[in-house]
Every structure is written in structure tokens, then in C-alpha cells.
Amino acid sequence: MACGSCGTGTPNGCKSNGGCSTGSCNRMNVHDWLMNLPFANPEGSCKIVEVSFNQGSRKDFFRNNSLQHYFKGELIAVEGVAGFDVGEVSLSGELVRLQMKKKNVNELNTDLKKILRKATQTDLDKMQENKAREKEVLIRSRAIARQLNLQMKIAEVEIQADGKKATFFYIADDRVDFRELIKVYATEFRVKVEMRQIGARQEAGKVGGIGSCGRELCCSTWLQDFKSVNTNAARYQNLSINQTKLSGQCGRLKCCLNYELDTYLDALQDFPENADFLETTKGRAMLIKKDIFKNLMWYTLPDSNRLYPLTIVRVKEILSLNHRGVKADELQPVELSANKSKELEPEFVDVVGQISLKSLDKSSKRKDKDNKHKANNKNIDRKQQGNRPEAPQSAEKQVSHFDRKKEKQQQNGGQNNNNNQQRIRQRPEPAENRKSRESQPQQQQPVKKIHVQPAEGPKESNPAIDNLASKILASTGSDKKPNNQKPQQQRNPNKGHQKKPPHHRRDEKKDKED
């Protein structure tokens, strides 16, 4: 049969066919380390097999009268009460004798029950059908015990594989008269009833769980013999008497308090007895704790909160003085120094000239230049923004950063073109061009005609002006334009130049005649 908690139906890791080492599959598991070793006398091997029931919560020994050898993890049918029961082989071979010796069971005892056969499929089906009833029977049995006002708690119910017997495990502080209870259970569940009283530690072992140490409970994995635990075990180990910390899942003192108790008792043999108080001139010193690892005893004086560590030799000396009726002048405590290694400070090393900082200087200069350039651009942008007229927010869109960049580039381009033209004009003319220009005869420039436009409004006749105009026209010649005369430039009406009044034009004509 495969592991009951495995989803695939077969164990993948241990390959033990259901006898896993964890408490979920089979509690109280034992490893058979002599299983694969050959023996000189096979006929003298142990004929007793250890069988576990209800996932290891209960174990018992059965005699194997057949020649078939059963291995660990196999399911077998054994003798039961008026029927049969199905269990799992937990141990076989020579290790069974050690377990029987430990539990004081005689191998030659004739009262040991026998192994019937290897479990068949019908046996397994019947066992699973009856095991499914255990939860319902447990709930109903607790309700019946409460109705009868019995001071007891039903911890677990185990039904035999054939369904003819049921064992009820209960917890009670005092004796309980359950004669009427057995009758009710027999009529209610139609089985033979057996009542077994267990303690709180056995209940915790059957339920299982995780302890404060982070591991599975000892009582559910390997611990079978429960010894009494006292608070003296905690005092010998210098533990604070805190009930919540010292109690386990069962509500009793932890069983692990006894694990190291013998070691502490052996170490405390070297410490002096009756050394709880020491008489000194400053007062009576009281013992606080004993350190078995450093062989020190810690005392305190009544007027101070300081702890004084004393050696065993010094405590014995003070005790001898107190027996004589003499009080010790001083306790002479031991100075405890931490054994931590001091960190060495690094020595001074001259590294001048070994590291060049030129690359850092160059990078810092570049950064300064970039920052200056960015600051200048920001100032220019602010000035330009200050000179621009403010546009209405609702009508016009805001100018983006890219549009401002384009305007800057256009302005810079126009300034560069003007500067280039000025440089070209300022260049000195070569001497050859100058001589050829002086040797050529100078041509008389034609006189431009001045067309006087009449002023708007009514014209006034002035004979003096008319005579002057006729003389000017006669001196200039015909009204036709010469070929080399340039066409008159048209005025741009958008420039907004105002027309000069007629009296200004007259003054200009007079100046030309003079």
C-alpha cells in the first residue's frame, strides 16, 4: 500500500512503501539498520514481529509461526478480539529482541497473538470502511459523556479492522465511574467497548504537533517513557521559573528539561554547598546564579544592584572565615574582559604621486563650461521673453521650447551673415584694381528727373514757382529717360512713411538750383 498522504499514490523519495520517517505517515518509526546484514544462523533469528496500528499511535508484538518473512511497511492481518485486525510491520529481525527487552516482554510468552496472513484487498477495504467511522464515533461519544455529566475527555477512538471492537482513550484527573457509559456506547455503536485511560503527554503524542524548538514533538516521534519533571530541573539549569515558557503543548512541564539535567548535576558537584549567603563587612552577600561553564558564582550586596563574580576558591575561603565567626572585608570579584579581538587601525600610507587626478580635472572643467553655457542661454531666453509683448492667453497658444530654439538659430544666422558682409566691405582693395579704376575716364552721371507730385487739395497758382519749374525742365532736356538710368524704386506702403508737405519739396528745389 502506498503512502496515504502522497497525492500520486506511491512515495517518490524514501521508497519505503508507506513507512516514511516523518510523523505524518507513521509515528514512532524505527530504522532497521540490521535489515541487510546476513546472519550465520538464520534458523535462530527472532520470530517476533513488531506491528503498529493507527499510524503508529499504538504498537504491539506478534508471533510469526509461518516461514514467510515480513518486511517493514507491509500490511498484515493479525489476531484480534473476536476477529482480526490489520496493522503495519514496523520492525522485524534482531532489533525486535532489543525492543522486547526494553519493554520487559518475554519472547517465549505463549500469550502473544499470532500473525494470520498478509492483508488481502477485502481486508483493506473493510478496514478503510470502519476507519471512516472513527470521527463520527468520536464526536458522538463526547456528546454522550457530557450528557452523563462525567468529568472526562475522550481523546481518541480506534475501531478494529473488522468493526467488532472499539477502544476509547480518555483523559481524567480523578476516577470515573463509566459503567453506564459503556452500556450506552455498546447499544449506540454496536461494538465491544474497551476504555483506556491515558495522560496529557500521551494525548499530545497521539495528536502530534510542532514544539517551540521548531521540530516535531518528541512524544509523537520517538519518546515512549515519560518521566516526572519538576521545577528543580529548571533551577539547576539556571532557567527562569516562567510557566508559559517551561510548559509544553500538553500543558505540563517540558520533557526536554530532563535531557541535560544529569550533565548539570555532574558539573555542580565541584561547587560548594550551603553557599547561598556570605557574611561580609558591607553586609550579607546573596547568591544569584552559578556558571558551570566559567566556574563562577555571582553574588550581590544588599545596598547595590551590581553583580560580583567570585571564583570557587574565593567562595570557599569566605565560607571558612564565616565558620570561624569572621566576616570577610572584601569579596574580591573577578574582572571579566571580553575576548573579542580588537580591530587594528590601518597605518598611514603615503600615496602621493601614485594616483593622477588629471582626468578628474578635465571632467570638472568640462562640466563648468557646460553649466556656464546653459546659464547664458537661460539669461538670453529671459531677456527675449521680457521684450516680447504679452499675448492674450485665451486667443494665442503658448510658444513651445522647440519654437524658441528655431528663433535663436535664425537670429544667430542673420547676425553671422551681417558680420560676414561687414568684413567683406572692410577688406582693402588691391592696388591693380585701384590703378585700372583711376586710368578709366570718368563718365558723367545722368541727372535724375524729379517728378513733383501735386499735393492733395485745391491748387494755388504761384507764378514764381511755375517759372522756376519751366527753367529746370529746359536745362535737363527732354522728358525721356536715359538707358543707363535705374528704375525708380517703389515705396513699400507697409513702412508707414508719411508724404512730405509741398513747401518742403520747394525748399529742396531751391537748394539744387543754388
Side-chain angles (χ1 to χ4, degrees):
M1 182 180 175
C3 179
S5 63
C6 191
T8 58
T10 56
N12 294 323
C14 57
K15 303 293 183 182
S16 61
N17 298 326
C20 300
S21 298
T22 59
S24 59
C25 295
N26 189 14
R27 290 171 290 185
M28 299 292 180
N29 190 47
V30 180
H31 177 67
D32 189 1
W33 51 275
L34 297 175
M35 181 174 56
N36 296 324
L37 294 177
F39 292 96
N41 187 11
E43 295 180 357
S45 60
C46 185
K47 299 296 182 180
I48 308 299
V49 178
E50 187 184 46
V51 183
S52 65
F53 299 93
N54 199 11
Q55 294 183 353
S57 63
R58 179 175 65 88
K59 289 184 178 182
D60 204 348
F61 298 101
F62 294 87
R63 188 180 300 277
N64 183 14
N65 292 328
S66 63
L67 299 176
Q68 186 177 2
H69 185 72
Y70 298 102
F71 296 95
K72 181 181 177 181
E74 291 183 349
L75 295 175
I76 57 176
V78 297
E79 288 182 349
V81 178
F84 71 94
D85 199 358
V86 178
E88 182 182 350
V89 177
S90 61
L91 198 62
S92 63
E94 294 298 322
L95 286 180
V96 179
R97 288 178 176 172
L98 298 176
Q99 293 290 336
M100 294 176 71
K101 186 178 180 180
K102 184 178 179 181
K103 296 181 180 180
N104 297 323
V105 178
N106 188 7
E107 185 179 354
L108 301 176
N109 188 5
T110 58
D111 294 337
L112 290 176
K113 296 180 181 180
K114 300 177 183 179
I115 297 175
L116 299 177
R117 62 186 178 273
K118 195 173 182 179
T120 60
Q121 188 62 37
T122 55
D123 298 337
L124 297 177
D125 293 341
K126 198 167 187 180
M127 182 190 70
Q128 290 177 0
E129 182 181 354
N130 292 318
K131 291 292 182 184
R133 298 173 51 200
E134 289 181 354
K135 292 184 179 179
E136 297 178 0
V137 172
L138 177 63
I139 296 170
R140 181 60 182 160
S141 62
R142 287 179 177 175
I144 293 171
R146 193 176 301 164
Q147 289 176 0
L148 297 175
N149 295 324
L150 297 176
Q151 300 297 323
M152 60 184 298
K153 175 186 176 184
I154 307 298
E156 186 181 12
V157 177
E158 182 182 346
I159 301 176
Q160 196 169 275
D162 57 357
K164 294 181 179 180
K165 176 192 171 184
T167 304
F168 295 85
F169 299 92
Y170 70 94
I171 303 169
D173 296 333
D174 300 328
R175 290 192 63 181
V176 179
D177 186 10
F178 46 77
R179 288 177 292 181
E180 186 179 356
L181 181 66
I182 292 174
K183 294 178 183 179
V184 176
Y185 283 172
T187 56
E188 180 75 20
F189 305 120
R190 296 180 181 180
V191 292
K192 186 176 181 179
V193 179
E194 181 182 354
M195 304 293 292
R196 286 190 183 181
Q197 186 176 3
I198 60 175
R201 290 189 174 91
Q202 284 85 355
E203 181 194 8
K206 288 181 177 295
V207 174
I210 304 297
S212 59
C213 59
R215 301 184 63 181
E216 290 186 57
L217 297 179
C218 299
C219 54
S220 64
T221 52
W222 62 273
L223 188 62
Q224 296 178 356
D225 299 331
F226 298 99
K227 298 180 180 179
S228 62
V229 184
N230 300 324
T231 55
N232 292 328
R235 290 192 180 94
Y236 286 132
Q237 300 177 47
N238 294 324
L239 298 175
S240 60
I241 308 302
N242 190 349
Q243 192 68 22
T244 57
K245 291 184 178 180
L246 296 179
S247 59
Q249 191 169 349
C250 57
R252 306 291 190 273
L253 291 175
K254 292 180 180 179
C255 299
C256 56
L257 292 174
N258 288 334
Y259 295 167
E260 298 179 354
L261 181 60
D262 296 336
T263 305
Y264 276 87
L265 292 175
D266 294 339
L268 290 173
Q269 290 180 359
D270 298 333
F271 285 79
E273 297 179 357
N274 300 324
D276 295 339
F277 297 98
L278 298 177
E279 297 294 336
T280 61
T281 55
K282 296 181 180 179
R284 175 178 286 185
M286 185 175 61
L287 178 65
I288 300 298
K289 66 176 181 177
K290 297 177 182 179
D291 192 348
I292 64 171
F293 301 104
K294 297 180 180 179
N295 291 329
L296 295 176
M297 300 176 70
W298 297 76
Y299 287 87
T300 183
L301 293 172
D303 296 337
S304 65
N305 295 327
R306 181 183 171 186
L307 295 177
Y308 299 93
L310 304 180
T311 60
I312 297 174
V313 178
R314 179 57 182 167
V315 172
K316 290 180 179 179
E317 291 177 357
I318 297 174
L319 287 174
S320 63
L321 293 175
N322 292 336
H323 286 307
R324 298 173 194 170
V326 181
K327 295 182 180 181
D329 295 335
E330 294 180 357
L331 291 175
Q332 296 181 4
V334 180
E335 294 182 1
L336 299 178
S337 60
N339 295 326
K340 295 181 181 180
S341 60
K342 295 182 180 179
E343 296 181 359
L344 298 175
E345 296 181 358
E347 298 180 356
F348 176 76
V349 180
D350 189 6
V351 294
V352 177
Q354 297 182 10
I355 301 173
S356 62
L357 302 176
K358 293 182 180 179
S359 59
L360 299 176
D361 294 340
K362 290 180 181 179
S363 61
S364 62
K365 288 180 181 179
R366 289 174 185 172
K367 288 181 181 179
D368 294 339
K369 288 181 180 179
D370 295 338
N371 294 331
K372 288 181 181 178
H373 186 63
K374 290 179 181 178
N376 293 331
N377 291 336
K378 287 181 180 178
N379 294 331
I380 292 169
D381 293 341
R382 289 172 184 171
K383 288 179 181 179
Q384 290 177 358
Q385 290 176 3
N387 295 329
R388 291 176 187 171
E390 293 183 358
Q393 295 180 359
S394 61
E396 295 182 3
K397 294 182 180 180
Q398 294 181 357
V399 181
S400 63
H401 178 67
F402 297 102
D403 296 338
R404 291 174 184 171
K405 267 192 172 182
K406 288 181 181 179
E407 290 177 3
K408 287 180 190 177
Q409 291 176 0
Q410 291 176 2
Q411 290 176 4
N412 294 331
Q415 290 178 3
N416 294 332
N417 293 331
N418 294 331
N419 294 333
N420 292 332
Q421 290 177 2
Q422 290 177 3
R423 289 175 185 172
I424 293 168
R425 290 172 185 172
Q426 291 176 2
R427 286 178 184 175
E429 189 178 3
E432 296 178 355
N433 296 337
R434 197 183 303 163
K435 289 179 181 180
S436 61
R437 185 170 54 80
E438 290 177 356
S439 62
Q440 291 179 1
Q442 295 182 358
Q443 295 180 0
Q444 293 182 358
Q445 296 180 357
V447 180
K448 297 180 181 179
K449 289 183 179 182
I450 299 173
H451 298 278
V452 179
Q453 295 181 0
E456 296 179 358
K459 294 181 181 179
E460 295 179 358
S461 62
N462 194 347
I465 293 171
D466 294 337
N467 293 328
L468 287 172
S470 61
K471 290 179 181 180
I472 291 166
L473 292 172
S475 62
T476 54
S478 63
D479 295 335
K480 293 181 181 180
K481 293 180 182 179
N483 295 329
N484 56 358
Q485 189 175 1
K486 295 182 181 179
Q488 189 175 2
Q489 296 180 355
Q490 295 181 1
R491 293 182 180 180
N492 191 358
N494 296 328
K495 289 184 179 181
H497 294 292
Q498 296 179 359
K499 295 181 181 180
K500 294 181 181 181
H503 61 274
H504 288 291
R505 294 171 185 164
R506 293 168 189 163
D507 296 337
E508 288 177 356
K509 291 178 181 178
K510 288 180 183 180
D511 295 336
K512 288 181 180 179
E513 289 177 357
D514 296 337

